[in-house]
Amino acid sequence: MNRRIEPAHEDESRGQYADVRRAYAELGDEPVPPVLDARVLDRARAAVRPARARPRWLVPASLAASVVLAVGVALDVRREAHDERAVESAVVSSEVAAPDAAVGAAADLAVVDANGDVRDADAASAAAAAPGASAAKQRAARERATGNASEARVSVPADLPAAAAPGLPPRPSEPFVAAPPAEAAAPAVAAAPARAAATDGAAVITGEQSARAATAHESAVVQRRATPPVAAATAPALSRSESADAAGTAALATPAPPPPLAPEDWLAKIEALRRAGRTAEADAELARFVRTYPDYLPVVAPR
Amino acid sequence: MDEPEDAELMRRYAAGDARAFERLYARHRGALHRFLVRQTRDPEFAGDLFQETWSKVIAYRDRYESRARFRTFLFHVARNCWLDALRARGRDVTWAAATIELDDAVLADPRARGPESLAAGAAAAERLRLALAELPEPQREAFLLHEDAGLTIDEVANVTGVGAETAKSRVRYALAKLRAALADQRDALPEHGATA
C-alpha cells in the first residue's frame, strides 16, 4: 500500500481508531485503468503541445514549383505569340501579293526568300532583289505575269540581304506579280512550305504546290487554333518558323486537293491547246500534268 | 515536503513541460481514483469524474496559484465535479453543505445498524468496505479526504466548504461507524466458529 496511513495531527483519537485505520489500509487499492491514464496524459500533452510547424522544405518547394510553373506558362505564351506573328506575317505577305496575283498565270510560281517571307515569283522582284539582274529577265517576268509565261523558276539565294528580302511592304515601283487565280488561290498560306524550302537555300514552288500547301497551311492553322498549346506544338506547318523542315514536310504530307481535271480530260485539254496553236500553254500544262501525275501511263488501245 | 514540489511541477507544466504533469499525475492519480471510486461506489462513474477532474486541472494550469496544497486543489476540483454530476442526475446534494447530524443510535450501538447486511464471517477489509459504502456521504467524504487522501482537518473543511469542527466531527463519526462494523465482525466470528 502506498497510501499514507498516519492521520492528520488534529485527530486526537489517533490511537483510538488505529484498528480502523489498519483495517482500512488492508482494504486494498483501486487501480487506475490504463485507459484512463492514457486519456489523461494524452490530453495533458496535447494541451501544451506547440502548434505543429510546417515542414521546413515546404515553403522552398512551393516557391520552386511556382517559379517552374510561371516560367513554363511564360515560355508557352511567348511561343504562341511568336507563332501568331509568323502566321500574321505570312498572311500580310500574301495579302500584299494578292493584288498582283490577280494578274494571273504567274500564280504557279512562288518565290520564298531565305528569311522565310513569301514573294511572288515575279522576276521583277527577283531582279530588284538581285542587283545584277538583267532587263531581259525583268521583261520575261512581266510576260509571265501577264499570262504569257509558261513556266518560270526563279531562285533566290538564301543569303539574300535583308534589305532585298521582302516580307516587307512591296515597293511601288516593282509590283509583285504573283498569284493565283482561282485554283492556286492561297499564296499567303504557301508561305509555310515555301519558308521551309527557303531555309535550304533557294526555293521555288509552283502554283499547284502552293495550292496544296495553302490547303495544308489552312488546315494547320485551323488545327493549331483549335488545339491546346501542347497539341499545337506538334502541329504541322507554320507553327514553327525555326523548324521549317518539319513544317514543310508536314504541309506536303497533308493530302492535296484533287486536281482540277481528271488525267484524261487534262490531256485532252493539252491536246486542244496544241491544236489551237497555243504551244507554250500546252507545254506548260503538260509540264504541270507530269508533275501532278508523274506515274501516269496513258492507256493505249490495242490495234 | 512535496507541497512546493507539486506547485513547482504545476508551474512547469503551465509553461509547457508535459513531463512535469506526468510526475504530478503519477503522484496523485491513485489517491484521487480511490477517493472517487469509494465515494461514488461506481467505478465507471468514478472513471468519468477522474477524467473530468484532470481535464479541469489541465485547463486551469495557467490560473493555478499555490496558495493551497496541490492535492487540496485537486480534491476540491474532484468534489465539485462529483456534485455537479449528481445535480445533473437529479440527485439531492443539499447534504454537501449541511452540518452533519450525529447518529447517536449508531454510535451507541454498532449492531443496531443492520448487522445482517454485513455478512458474518467476511474478512475485515470487506466488512469495512461495506461499512464505508453505507456511511452517509458527508462522513464518507470527510473520512476519505482525511484518512486516505491525507488532507488535514482544515483542508477537509476547505474542500468540503464547512467549518473545521464540522469536518472533524464528520471524520470522527465515520471512524466510529467503521469501528462498529469491525466490532460486529469480531463479534460474529466466534459465533460463526461456534456453529462450525
Short mmCIF file of all heavy atoms in Angstrom, two decimals, chain A residues 44-115:
data_model
loop_
_atom_site.label_atom_id
_atom_site.label_comp_id
_atom_site.label_asym_id
_atom_site.label_seq_id
_atom_site.Cartn_x
_atom_site.Cartn_y
_atom_site.Cartn_z
N ALA A 44 -3.24 15.97 -21.50
CA ALA A 44 -2.29 16.91 -20.90
C ALA A 44 -1.19 17.28 -21.90
O ALA A 44 -0.81 18.45 -22.00
CB ALA A 44 -1.67 16.29 -19.66
N ARG A 45 -0.71 16.31 -22.64
CA ARG A 45 0.35 16.60 -23.63
C ARG A 45 -0.19 17.46 -24.76
O ARG A 45 0.48 18.38 -25.23
CB ARG A 45 0.91 15.30 -24.18
CG ARG A 45 1.69 14.49 -23.15
CD ARG A 45 2.23 13.20 -23.75
NE ARG A 45 2.74 12.32 -22.72
CZ ARG A 45 2.28 11.08 -22.49
NH1 ARG A 45 1.30 10.59 -23.20
NH2 ARG A 45 2.81 10.35 -21.52
N ALA A 46 -1.41 17.13 -25.17
CA ALA A 46 -1.98 17.90 -26.28
C ALA A 46 -2.19 19.36 -25.89
O ALA A 46 -2.09 20.26 -26.73
CB ALA A 46 -3.30 17.28 -26.71
N ALA A 47 -2.48 19.58 -24.62
CA ALA A 47 -2.76 20.95 -24.19
C ALA A 47 -1.54 21.85 -24.28
O ALA A 47 -1.68 23.06 -24.50
CB ALA A 47 -3.29 20.94 -22.75
N VAL A 48 -0.37 21.28 -24.12
CA VAL A 48 0.84 22.12 -24.13
C VAL A 48 1.68 21.88 -25.37
O VAL A 48 2.77 22.42 -25.49
CB VAL A 48 1.71 21.86 -22.88
CG1 VAL A 48 0.98 22.30 -21.64
CG2 VAL A 48 2.11 20.40 -22.78
N ARG A 49 1.17 21.04 -26.29
CA ARG A 49 1.94 20.77 -27.50
C ARG A 49 1.90 22.00 -28.39
O ARG A 49 0.82 22.53 -28.66
CB ARG A 49 1.34 19.57 -28.24
CG ARG A 49 2.16 19.11 -29.43
CD ARG A 49 1.51 17.88 -30.03
NE ARG A 49 1.42 16.80 -29.05
CZ ARG A 49 0.44 15.91 -29.00
NH1 ARG A 49 -0.56 15.98 -29.84
NH2 ARG A 49 0.45 14.97 -28.09
N PRO A 50 3.04 22.46 -28.82
CA PRO A 50 3.04 23.63 -29.71
C PRO A 50 2.39 23.27 -31.03
O PRO A 50 2.39 22.11 -31.44
CB PRO A 50 4.53 23.94 -29.90
CG PRO A 50 5.22 22.67 -29.58
CD PRO A 50 4.38 21.95 -28.57
N ALA A 51 1.84 24.29 -31.63
CA ALA A 51 1.20 24.07 -32.93
C ALA A 51 2.22 23.47 -33.87
O ALA A 51 3.36 23.92 -33.95
CB ALA A 51 0.67 25.39 -33.48
N ARG A 52 1.80 22.47 -34.57
CA ARG A 52 2.72 21.75 -35.44
C ARG A 52 3.21 22.65 -36.56
O ARG A 52 2.42 23.17 -37.34
CB ARG A 52 1.99 20.54 -36.02
CG ARG A 52 2.91 19.63 -36.81
CD ARG A 52 2.12 18.46 -37.33
NE ARG A 52 2.91 17.70 -38.28
CZ ARG A 52 2.42 16.70 -38.99
NH1 ARG A 52 1.16 16.37 -38.86
NH2 ARG A 52 3.17 16.05 -39.83
N ALA A 53 4.51 22.82 -36.56
CA ALA A 53 5.09 23.68 -37.59
C ALA A 53 5.11 22.96 -38.93
O ALA A 53 5.20 21.73 -38.99
CB ALA A 53 6.50 24.07 -37.19
N ARG A 54 5.02 23.73 -39.98
CA ARG A 54 5.09 23.13 -41.31
C ARG A 54 6.51 22.65 -41.58
O ARG A 54 7.47 23.24 -41.06
CB ARG A 54 4.72 24.16 -42.37
CG ARG A 54 3.26 24.53 -42.34
CD ARG A 54 2.98 25.54 -43.42
NE ARG A 54 1.57 25.86 -43.48
CZ ARG A 54 1.07 26.75 -44.30
NH1 ARG A 54 1.84 27.41 -45.12
NH2 ARG A 54 -0.21 27.00 -44.31
N PRO A 55 6.63 21.61 -42.32
CA PRO A 55 7.97 21.15 -42.66
C PRO A 55 8.77 22.27 -43.30
O PRO A 55 8.24 23.07 -44.09
CB PRO A 55 7.70 20.02 -43.67
CG PRO A 55 6.32 19.58 -43.38
CD PRO A 55 5.58 20.79 -42.89
N ARG A 56 10.05 22.32 -42.99
CA ARG A 56 10.88 23.42 -43.46
C ARG A 56 11.03 23.43 -44.97
O ARG A 56 11.27 24.47 -45.57
CB ARG A 56 12.26 23.34 -42.80
CG ARG A 56 12.17 23.52 -41.31
CD ARG A 56 13.54 23.35 -40.67
NE ARG A 56 14.47 24.35 -41.12
CZ ARG A 56 15.75 24.36 -40.79
NH1 ARG A 56 16.23 23.41 -40.04
NH2 ARG A 56 16.55 25.30 -41.23
N TRP A 57 10.93 22.27 -45.56
CA TRP A 57 11.13 22.22 -47.02
C TRP A 57 9.89 22.64 -47.79
O TRP A 57 9.94 22.82 -49.00
CB TRP A 57 11.52 20.79 -47.43
CG TRP A 57 10.54 19.77 -46.96
CD1 TRP A 57 10.62 19.01 -45.83
CD2 TRP A 57 9.32 19.38 -47.59
NE1 TRP A 57 9.54 18.19 -45.71
CE2 TRP A 57 8.73 18.40 -46.79
CE3 TRP A 57 8.67 19.79 -48.76
CZ2 TRP A 57 7.51 17.80 -47.10
CZ3 TRP A 57 7.45 19.19 -49.08
CH2 TRP A 57 6.91 18.21 -48.24
N LEU A 58 8.77 22.81 -47.08
CA LEU A 58 7.53 23.04 -47.81
C LEU A 58 7.53 24.39 -48.53
O LEU A 58 7.13 24.48 -49.69
CB LEU A 58 6.35 22.96 -46.82
CG LEU A 58 4.98 22.83 -47.46
CD1 LEU A 58 4.92 21.59 -48.33
CD2 LEU A 58 3.90 22.77 -46.39
N VAL A 59 7.99 25.42 -47.87
CA VAL A 59 7.96 26.75 -48.47
C VAL A 59 8.90 26.83 -49.69
O VAL A 59 8.47 27.25 -50.77
CB VAL A 59 8.33 27.81 -47.41
CG1 VAL A 59 8.51 29.17 -48.08
CG2 VAL A 59 7.24 27.89 -46.36
N PRO A 60 10.17 26.43 -49.55
CA PRO A 60 11.02 26.48 -50.75
C PRO A 60 10.50 25.62 -51.88
O PRO A 60 10.57 26.01 -53.05
CB PRO A 60 12.37 25.96 -50.26
CG PRO A 60 12.31 25.88 -48.80
CD PRO A 60 10.91 26.02 -48.36
N ALA A 61 9.98 24.46 -51.53
CA ALA A 61 9.45 23.59 -52.58
C ALA A 61 8.27 24.25 -53.28
O ALA A 61 8.15 24.19 -54.51
CB ALA A 61 9.03 22.25 -51.99
N SER A 62 7.43 24.90 -52.52
CA SER A 62 6.28 25.58 -53.12
C SER A 62 6.74 26.72 -54.03
O SER A 62 6.22 26.90 -55.13
CB SER A 62 5.37 26.14 -52.02
OG SER A 62 4.93 25.11 -51.19
N LEU A 63 7.74 27.46 -53.54
CA LEU A 63 8.25 28.56 -54.36
C LEU A 63 8.85 28.04 -55.66
O LEU A 63 8.62 28.60 -56.75
CB LEU A 63 9.30 29.35 -53.58
CG LEU A 63 8.75 30.24 -52.46
CD1 LEU A 63 9.89 30.86 -51.68
CD2 LEU A 63 7.86 31.32 -53.04
N ALA A 64 9.63 26.97 -55.54
CA ALA A 64 10.26 26.41 -56.73
C ALA A 64 9.20 25.94 -57.73
O ALA A 64 9.30 26.20 -58.94
CB ALA A 64 11.18 25.26 -56.35
N ALA A 65 8.19 25.28 -57.21
CA ALA A 65 7.12 24.79 -58.09
C ALA A 65 6.42 25.96 -58.78
O ALA A 65 6.12 25.92 -59.97
CB ALA A 65 6.13 23.97 -57.29
N SER A 66 6.19 27.04 -58.02
CA SER A 66 5.53 28.20 -58.60
C SER A 66 6.38 28.83 -59.70
O SER A 66 5.88 29.22 -60.76
CB SER A 66 5.25 29.24 -57.51
OG SER A 66 4.43 28.68 -56.52
N VAL A 67 7.69 28.92 -59.44
CA VAL A 67 8.58 29.52 -60.44
C VAL A 67 8.59 28.68 -61.71
O VAL A 67 8.50 29.21 -62.83
CB VAL A 67 10.00 29.66 -59.85
CG1 VAL A 67 10.99 30.00 -60.94
CG2 VAL A 67 10.01 30.74 -58.78
N VAL A 68 8.70 27.37 -61.53
CA VAL A 68 8.72 26.49 -62.69
C VAL A 68 7.43 26.63 -63.49
O VAL A 68 7.44 26.74 -64.73
CB VAL A 68 8.93 25.03 -62.24
CG1 VAL A 68 8.66 24.08 -63.40
CG2 VAL A 68 10.35 24.84 -61.72
N LEU A 69 6.35 26.69 -62.79
CA LEU A 69 5.05 26.82 -63.47
C LEU A 69 4.97 28.14 -64.23
O LEU A 69 4.55 28.21 -65.39
CB LEU A 69 3.93 26.71 -62.44
CG LEU A 69 2.52 26.71 -63.00
CD1 LEU A 69 2.31 25.48 -63.88
CD2 LEU A 69 1.49 26.70 -61.87
N ALA A 70 5.39 29.23 -63.53
CA ALA A 70 5.31 30.54 -64.16
C ALA A 70 6.20 30.61 -65.40
O ALA A 70 5.80 31.14 -66.45
CB ALA A 70 5.72 31.61 -63.15
N VAL A 71 7.39 30.07 -65.29
CA VAL A 71 8.31 30.10 -66.43
C VAL A 71 7.74 29.29 -67.58
O VAL A 71 7.78 29.69 -68.75
CB VAL A 71 9.70 29.57 -66.01
CG1 VAL A 71 10.56 29.32 -67.23
CG2 VAL A 71 10.37 30.57 -65.08
N GLY A 72 7.19 28.15 -67.24
CA GLY A 72 6.60 27.30 -68.28
C GLY A 72 5.47 28.01 -69.00
O GLY A 72 5.41 28.01 -70.24
N VAL A 73 4.61 28.65 -68.25
CA VAL A 73 3.49 29.37 -68.86
C VAL A 73 4.00 30.52 -69.70
O VAL A 73 3.54 30.76 -70.83
CB VAL A 73 2.52 29.87 -67.76
CG1 VAL A 73 1.50 30.83 -68.35
CG2 VAL A 73 1.82 28.69 -67.10
N ALA A 74 5.00 31.24 -69.16
CA ALA A 74 5.54 32.38 -69.90
C ALA A 74 6.15 31.93 -71.22
O ALA A 74 5.94 32.56 -72.27
CB ALA A 74 6.57 33.10 -69.04
N LEU A 75 6.91 30.85 -71.17
CA LEU A 75 7.52 30.35 -72.40
C LEU A 75 6.46 29.93 -73.40
O LEU A 75 6.58 30.19 -74.60
CB LEU A 75 8.44 29.17 -72.08
CG LEU A 75 9.76 29.55 -71.40
CD1 LEU A 75 10.54 28.29 -71.05
CD2 LEU A 75 10.59 30.44 -72.31
N ASP A 76 5.45 29.31 -72.91
CA ASP A 76 4.39 28.85 -73.81
C ASP A 76 3.67 30.03 -74.44
O ASP A 76 3.40 30.04 -75.65
CB ASP A 76 3.41 27.98 -73.02
CG ASP A 76 2.55 27.15 -73.96
OD1 ASP A 76 3.14 26.46 -74.81
OD2 ASP A 76 1.32 27.23 -73.85
N VAL A 77 3.38 31.03 -73.63
CA VAL A 77 2.71 32.22 -74.16
C VAL A 77 3.60 32.91 -75.18
O VAL A 77 3.15 33.33 -76.24
CB VAL A 77 2.36 33.18 -73.00
CG1 VAL A 77 1.94 34.54 -73.54
CG2 VAL A 77 1.24 32.58 -72.16
N ARG A 78 4.87 32.98 -74.88
CA ARG A 78 5.80 33.63 -75.80
C ARG A 78 5.87 32.87 -77.12
O ARG A 78 5.87 33.45 -78.20
CB ARG A 78 7.17 33.67 -75.14
CG ARG A 78 8.19 34.45 -75.93
CD ARG A 78 9.49 34.46 -75.18
NE ARG A 78 10.55 35.00 -75.99
CZ ARG A 78 11.83 34.95 -75.68
NH1 ARG A 78 12.18 34.35 -74.57
NH2 ARG A 78 12.73 35.46 -76.46
N ARG A 79 5.88 31.56 -77.01
CA ARG A 79 5.94 30.74 -78.21
C ARG A 79 4.66 30.93 -79.03
O ARG A 79 4.69 31.03 -80.25
CB ARG A 79 6.11 29.29 -77.80
CG ARG A 79 6.58 28.40 -78.91
CD ARG A 79 7.07 27.10 -78.35
NE ARG A 79 6.12 26.52 -77.43
CZ ARG A 79 6.45 25.61 -76.52
NH1 ARG A 79 7.69 25.22 -76.41
NH2 ARG A 79 5.54 25.11 -75.72
N GLU A 80 3.55 31.00 -78.33
CA GLU A 80 2.28 31.22 -79.01
C GLU A 80 2.30 32.55 -79.75
O GLU A 80 1.90 32.64 -80.90
CB GLU A 80 1.15 31.22 -77.98
CG GLU A 80 0.75 29.84 -77.51
CD GLU A 80 -0.02 29.11 -78.59
OE1 GLU A 80 -0.92 29.71 -79.18
OE2 GLU A 80 0.32 27.95 -78.86
N ALA A 81 2.79 33.58 -79.06
CA ALA A 81 2.83 34.90 -79.67
C ALA A 81 3.74 34.89 -80.90
O ALA A 81 3.44 35.49 -81.93
CB ALA A 81 3.32 35.93 -78.66
N HIS A 82 4.82 34.19 -80.78
CA HIS A 82 5.76 34.10 -81.90
C HIS A 82 5.09 33.43 -83.09
O HIS A 82 5.22 33.88 -84.23
CB HIS A 82 6.99 33.32 -81.46
CG HIS A 82 8.05 33.25 -82.52
ND1 HIS A 82 8.87 34.31 -82.81
CD2 HIS A 82 8.40 32.26 -83.37
CE1 HIS A 82 9.69 33.98 -83.79
NE2 HIS A 82 9.43 32.73 -84.14
N ASP A 83 4.39 32.37 -82.82
CA ASP A 83 3.71 31.67 -83.90
C ASP A 83 2.65 32.55 -84.54
O ASP A 83 2.48 32.58 -85.76
CB ASP A 83 3.06 30.39 -83.36
CG ASP A 83 4.12 29.40 -82.92
OD1 ASP A 83 5.29 29.59 -83.30
OD2 ASP A 83 3.77 28.45 -82.20
N GLU A 84 1.94 33.28 -83.68
CA GLU A 84 0.91 34.16 -84.21
C GLU A 84 1.53 35.21 -85.14
O GLU A 84 1.02 35.51 -86.20
CB GLU A 84 0.18 34.86 -83.07
CG GLU A 84 -0.72 33.93 -82.26
CD GLU A 84 -1.87 33.43 -83.10
OE1 GLU A 84 -2.30 34.14 -84.02
OE2 GLU A 84 -2.34 32.31 -82.84
N ARG A 85 2.68 35.74 -84.71
CA ARG A 85 3.34 36.74 -85.55
C ARG A 85 3.78 36.14 -86.87
O ARG A 85 3.69 36.75 -87.91
CB ARG A 85 4.55 37.32 -84.80
CG ARG A 85 4.18 38.38 -83.79
CD ARG A 85 5.39 39.21 -83.44
NE ARG A 85 6.48 38.41 -82.91
CZ ARG A 85 6.60 38.07 -81.64
NH1 ARG A 85 5.71 38.49 -80.77
NH2 ARG A 85 7.61 37.33 -81.24
N ALA A 86 4.25 34.91 -86.79
CA ALA A 86 4.71 34.25 -88.01
C ALA A 86 3.55 34.08 -88.99
O ALA A 86 3.67 34.35 -90.19
CB ALA A 86 5.34 32.91 -87.68
N VAL A 87 2.45 33.67 -88.47
CA VAL A 87 1.28 33.47 -89.34
C VAL A 87 0.81 34.80 -89.89
O VAL A 87 0.53 34.94 -91.08
CB VAL A 87 0.16 32.78 -88.55
CG1 VAL A 87 -1.11 32.75 -89.37
CG2 VAL A 87 0.58 31.38 -88.16
N GLU A 88 0.74 35.80 -89.01
CA GLU A 88 0.29 37.11 -89.48
C GLU A 88 1.23 37.65 -90.54
O GLU A 88 0.82 38.25 -91.52
CB GLU A 88 0.20 38.07 -88.30
CG GLU A 88 -0.98 37.75 -87.39
CD GLU A 88 -0.92 38.57 -86.12
OE1 GLU A 88 0.01 39.39 -85.98
OE2 GLU A 88 -1.80 38.36 -85.27
N SER A 89 2.50 37.44 -90.33
CA SER A 89 3.49 37.89 -91.31
C SER A 89 3.25 37.23 -92.65
O SER A 89 3.26 37.88 -93.70
CB SER A 89 4.89 37.59 -90.79
OG SER A 89 5.83 37.83 -91.80
N ALA A 90 3.01 35.96 -92.60
CA ALA A 90 2.77 35.24 -93.85
C ALA A 90 1.50 35.74 -94.51
O ALA A 90 1.44 35.93 -95.73
CB ALA A 90 2.67 33.75 -93.58
N VAL A 91 0.50 35.99 -93.70
CA VAL A 91 -0.76 36.46 -94.27
C VAL A 91 -0.60 37.84 -94.87
O VAL A 91 -1.07 38.11 -95.97
CB VAL A 91 -1.84 36.46 -93.17
CG1 VAL A 91 -3.10 37.17 -93.68
CG2 VAL A 91 -2.17 35.05 -92.77
N VAL A 92 0.12 38.70 -94.18
CA VAL A 92 0.34 40.04 -94.70
C VAL A 92 1.09 39.97 -96.02
O VAL A 92 0.74 40.63 -96.99
CB VAL A 92 1.12 40.88 -93.67
CG1 VAL A 92 1.64 42.15 -94.32
CG2 VAL A 92 0.22 41.21 -92.50
N SER A 93 2.09 39.12 -96.05
CA SER A 93 2.86 38.99 -97.28
C SER A 93 1.98 38.54 -98.42
O SER A 93 2.04 39.06 -99.53
CB SER A 93 3.99 37.99 -97.07
OG SER A 93 4.86 38.48 -96.09
N SER A 94 1.15 37.62 -98.13
CA SER A 94 0.30 37.10 -99.19
C SER A 94 -0.74 38.12 -99.60
O SER A 94 -1.09 38.23 -100.76
CB SER A 94 -0.37 35.82 -98.72
OG SER A 94 -1.27 36.13 -97.69
N GLU A 95 -1.20 38.89 -98.59
CA GLU A 95 -2.19 39.91 -98.95
C GLU A 95 -1.56 40.97 -99.82
O GLU A 95 -2.18 41.53 -100.72
CB GLU A 95 -2.76 40.52 -97.67
CG GLU A 95 -3.75 39.59 -96.98
CD GLU A 95 -4.21 40.15 -95.66
OE1 GLU A 95 -3.62 41.16 -95.20
OE2 GLU A 95 -5.14 39.59 -95.08
N VAL A 96 -0.31 41.24 -99.51
CA VAL A 96 0.39 42.20 -100.34
C VAL A 96 0.51 41.65 -101.75
O VAL A 96 0.38 42.37 -102.74
CB VAL A 96 1.77 42.49 -99.74
CG1 VAL A 96 2.64 43.22 -100.75
CG2 VAL A 96 1.61 43.32 -98.49
N ALA A 97 0.73 40.38 -101.80
CA ALA A 97 0.91 39.77 -103.12
C ALA A 97 -0.40 39.54 -103.82
O ALA A 97 -0.44 39.38 -105.03
CB ALA A 97 1.66 38.45 -102.96
N ALA A 98 -1.46 39.55 -103.10
CA ALA A 98 -2.74 39.18 -103.67
C ALA A 98 -3.18 40.06 -104.84
O ALA A 98 -3.62 39.53 -105.87
CB ALA A 98 -3.81 39.18 -102.59
N PRO A 99 -3.07 41.36 -104.74
CA PRO A 99 -3.49 42.17 -105.90
C PRO A 99 -2.71 41.80 -107.14
O PRO A 99 -3.27 41.76 -108.24
CB PRO A 99 -3.18 43.59 -105.45
CG PRO A 99 -3.15 43.54 -103.96
CD PRO A 99 -2.64 42.19 -103.62
N ASP A 100 -1.47 41.53 -106.91
CA ASP A 100 -0.69 41.16 -108.07
C ASP A 100 -1.12 39.81 -108.61
O ASP A 100 -1.01 39.54 -109.79
CB ASP A 100 0.80 41.10 -107.69
CG ASP A 100 1.26 42.45 -107.15
OD1 ASP A 100 0.78 43.47 -107.68
OD2 ASP A 100 2.05 42.46 -106.19
N ALA A 101 -1.60 39.01 -107.68
CA ALA A 101 -1.98 37.69 -108.09
C ALA A 101 -3.12 37.72 -109.07
O ALA A 101 -3.30 36.79 -109.87
CB ALA A 101 -2.39 36.87 -106.88
N ALA A 102 -3.86 38.79 -108.99
CA ALA A 102 -4.99 38.89 -109.90
C ALA A 102 -4.53 38.91 -111.35
O ALA A 102 -5.30 38.67 -112.26
CB ALA A 102 -5.79 40.14 -109.59
N VAL A 103 -3.32 39.21 -111.51
CA VAL A 103 -2.83 39.26 -112.88
C VAL A 103 -2.94 37.90 -113.51
O VAL A 103 -3.20 37.78 -114.69
CB VAL A 103 -1.38 39.77 -112.90
CG1 VAL A 103 -0.85 39.81 -114.32
CG2 VAL A 103 -1.35 41.15 -112.26
N GLY A 104 -2.66 36.86 -112.78
CA GLY A 104 -2.96 35.57 -113.35
C GLY A 104 -1.93 34.50 -113.29
O GLY A 104 -1.57 34.07 -112.24
N ALA A 105 -1.48 34.11 -114.38
CA ALA A 105 -0.80 32.82 -114.52
C ALA A 105 0.46 32.67 -113.71
O ALA A 105 0.92 31.55 -113.52
CB ALA A 105 -0.47 32.60 -115.99
N ALA A 106 1.03 33.74 -113.30
CA ALA A 106 2.24 33.63 -112.51
C ALA A 106 1.97 33.01 -111.17
O ALA A 106 2.88 32.85 -110.37
CB ALA A 106 2.86 35.00 -112.33
N ALA A 107 0.77 32.66 -110.97
CA ALA A 107 0.42 32.03 -109.70
C ALA A 107 1.16 30.75 -109.49
O ALA A 107 1.32 30.30 -108.36
CB ALA A 107 -1.08 31.77 -109.68
N ASP A 108 1.56 30.14 -110.55
CA ASP A 108 2.22 28.86 -110.36
C ASP A 108 3.69 29.02 -110.02
O ASP A 108 4.45 28.08 -110.10
CB ASP A 108 2.05 27.98 -111.60
CG ASP A 108 2.52 28.71 -112.83
OD1 ASP A 108 3.00 29.87 -112.67
OD2 ASP A 108 2.40 28.17 -113.92
N LEU A 109 4.04 30.20 -109.65
CA LEU A 109 5.42 30.40 -109.27
C LEU A 109 5.46 31.25 -108.00
O LEU A 109 4.96 32.35 -108.00
CB LEU A 109 6.17 31.10 -110.41
CG LEU A 109 7.68 31.15 -110.23
CD1 LEU A 109 8.23 29.73 -110.26
CD2 LEU A 109 8.29 31.95 -111.35
N ALA A 110 6.03 30.71 -107.03
CA ALA A 110 6.15 31.46 -105.79
C ALA A 110 7.59 31.37 -105.32
O ALA A 110 8.20 30.32 -105.36
CB ALA A 110 5.23 30.91 -104.72
N VAL A 111 8.08 32.49 -104.96
CA VAL A 111 9.47 32.51 -104.53
C VAL A 111 9.51 32.87 -103.05
O VAL A 111 8.84 33.76 -102.60
CB VAL A 111 10.25 33.54 -105.34
CG1 VAL A 111 11.70 33.58 -104.87
CG2 VAL A 111 10.16 33.20 -106.81
N VAL A 112 10.30 32.16 -102.40
CA VAL A 112 10.42 32.40 -100.97
C VAL A 112 11.87 32.72 -100.67
O VAL A 112 12.78 32.04 -101.12
CB VAL A 112 10.00 31.15 -100.19
CG1 VAL A 112 10.11 31.43 -98.69
CG2 VAL A 112 8.61 30.74 -100.59
N ASP A 113 12.03 33.78 -99.97
CA ASP A 113 13.41 34.14 -99.68
C ASP A 113 13.92 33.39 -98.45
O ASP A 113 13.19 32.66 -97.79
CB ASP A 113 13.54 35.65 -99.50
CG ASP A 113 12.84 36.11 -98.25
OD1 ASP A 113 12.48 35.26 -97.41
OD2 ASP A 113 12.65 37.32 -98.11
N ALA A 114 15.16 33.62 -98.22
CA ALA A 114 15.80 32.84 -97.17
C ALA A 114 15.30 33.22 -95.79
O ALA A 114 15.47 32.48 -94.83
CB ALA A 114 17.31 33.03 -97.23
N ASN A 115 14.71 34.39 -95.70
CA ASN A 115 14.20 34.80 -94.39
C ASN A 115 12.83 34.25 -94.10
O ASN A 115 12.25 34.50 -93.07
CB ASN A 115 14.16 36.33 -94.30
CG ASN A 115 15.55 36.89 -94.24
OD1 ASN A 115 16.47 36.22 -93.77
ND2 ASN A 115 15.71 38.09 -94.76
#
